[in-house]
Amino acid sequence: MGGTAELSVVIPTFRRPTRLLETLGEIGACDPAPAEVLVHVEAGDAETEPALRAGAREVRVLRSDRPQGPGGARNRLIGEARHPVVVSLDDDSYPVDTDFFAAVLAAFEAQPEAGVLAMTIVHDGEPMVARQPGAQEVADFVGCGCAYRRAAFLETSGYLPLHPAYGMEEADLALQLIDRGWQIVHCPDLRVRHATDRGHQTAPAIVAAHVRNTALLAFLRYPARLAPRGLAQYANRILYSTRRGHVGGVLRGILQTPGTLLRHRAHRHAVRAETVRAIRALRHATPAAE
C-alpha cells in the first residue's frame, strides 16, 4: 500500500520507555503509517525523552511541568495534533492489523455523524477476535483504543485532568459529545491489543477512584432533576465494589467524595436530561466497550 494515512496518533506515557518503544514499533509496522505520532511525557518522567531521542526521533514529544493525568495529556495532544482524525492509544496498546490506519479513515468517511470510533480491545489472556464488518452506535469507548474526529472533540471541554480517572474520563466525554449531537460508533473491524490483564483495577486506589468519580460525573454533568439517578448510581457502585470484597477502596472513595466534588465544582456544566437518558438506552441495547 505504502504512503501515509492523514491522521495523528496520540499517546500519553509515564516512565515506561521500553513498553512505549515496543508500541511505536508496532505502529511503525502498519501500512500505511500515520502521518504523525505525538507522545506526552508526564511530569516527573526523566526516562522517556532520552529513550525516544535514541530510538524514535520522528515522534513529536510534549511534556508537562505539572501532573496532567492521562486525560489532561490527551487534551494537550489532541490540541496539538495537525490532522482532523486523531487515533488515541496507550503506551501499551497498539493496532493488531497492518491496514489499521487506512481502516480508521474509511470508517470515519462511512460514519459522518461519528465523533468517536470505539474499537475492539483485546487484553492479555483473552483470545483474539476475528475482524468483523459493520458499525453500531454505542454509549462507551476507551481511550487506549479509539479515534476522535478532532473537530468534535474540540467542541467539548475535553477530559477533566484527573488521576486516577476511572469511572469519569470517557464517560464524561461521551456525555458531552452526545449532548452536542455526535455519535460514538463501535467498529469491530478496528482491533487493538492492550498489553495488560487489567488486574490492577482491583487495587484500593483504583476502586476508590471509581467510587468518587461516579459521584463526580453525576455532579458535573447531570441536571438537577436527575440528582436522584446520580445518587442511585453512586450507591450501586459502592454496593458493586463492596460485594466483590473491595471494602478498603470503597471506604476510601466515600471519604474522598466530598473533597473531590468541592475541588472540581467550577467544571460543572450539565447536559440535557435527554442526553443522560439516551446514554442509558444505548447501554441497555449494546455491550460495553471494555
Side-chain angles (χ1 to χ4, degrees):
M1 187 178 294
T4 58
E6 293 303 309
L7 53 72
S8 304
V9 175
V10 298
I11 304 172
T13 192
F14 181 68
R15 289 182 177 172
R16 297 207 293 183
T18 300
R19 177 66 78 183
L20 174 63
L21 289 173
E22 291 172 355
T23 294
L24 292 173
E26 296 287 348
I27 292 169
C30 292
D31 183 16
E36 69 169 352
V37 178
L38 297 86
V39 171
H40 180 275
V41 179
E42 183 71 299
D45 180 349
E47 307 164 25
T48 299
E49 285 191 76
L52 290 173
R53 285 196 295 270
R57 295 186 180 182
E58 71 283 1
V59 172
R60 289 176 61 197
V61 178
L62 306 180
R63 63 193 63 80
S64 61
D65 297 325
R66 295 182 298 174
Q68 301 293 311
R74 286 193 172 95
N75 290 343
R76 286 199 63 203
L77 288 163
I78 296 167
E80 292 285 339
R82 295 170 177 156
H83 297 277
V85 168
V86 180
V87 173
S88 174
L89 300 170
D90 281 355
D91 57 13
D92 59 354
S93 65
Y94 51 84
V96 172
D97 304 291
T98 56
D99 66 344
F100 176 83
F101 296 112
V104 168
L105 291 177
F108 267 123
E109 185 174 355
Q111 303 293 330
E113 302 302 317
V116 170
L117 298 180
M119 300 172 180
T120 298
I121 314 297
V122 183
H123 300 87
D124 283 353
E126 298 175 351
M128 183 55 64
V129 296
R131 297 184 81 172
Q132 301 176 34
Q136 183 178 16
E137 186 179 2
V138 295
D140 301 288
F141 66 97
V142 288
C144 70
C146 71
Y148 313 95
R149 197 181 298 275
R150 185 171 179 270
F153 183 92
L154 294 178
E155 288 182 16
T156 74
S157 61
Y159 290 108
L160 193 66
L162 288 173
H163 189 67
Y166 290 91
M168 179 69 189
E169 51 187 356
E170 288 92 7
D172 179 29
L173 191 61
L175 277 168
Q176 294 185 62
L177 286 166
I178 290 173
D179 198 55
R180 286 160 176 79
W182 293 100
Q183 294 179 355
I184 300 163
V185 177
H186 177 231
C187 297
D189 186 54
L190 302 174
R191 301 186 298 176
V192 170
R193 166 67 77 178
H194 194 190
T196 176
D197 61 7
R198 296 188 285 181
H200 65 285
Q201 293 186 13
T202 60
I206 303 303
V207 173
H210 268 297
V211 169
R212 68 173 184 264
N213 290 341
T214 297
L216 180 62
L217 179 66
F219 173 70
L220 294 182
R221 302 296 174 226
Y222 285 14
R225 60 183 164 135
L226 292 185
R229 177 173 294 179
L231 287 170
Q233 290 171 344
Y234 181 57
N236 285 339
R237 184 74 217 189
I238 290 170
L239 185 61
Y240 172 88
S241 296
T242 300
R243 284 176 171 172
R244 279 152 183 78
H246 307 312
V247 177
V250 168
L251 291 175
R252 187 188 304 184
I254 293 171
L255 292 173
Q256 291 173 350
T257 296
T260 299
L261 302 191
L262 184 64
R263 190 160 53 250
H264 296 288
R265 66 190 184 281
H267 295 280
R268 175 167 167 77
H269 184 81
V271 302
R272 294 168 296 145
E274 292 80 2
T275 299
V276 179
R277 287 194 283 267
I279 288 272
R280 185 184 184 195
L282 284 168
R283 288 194 178 128
H284 278 88
T286 58
E290 182 175 23

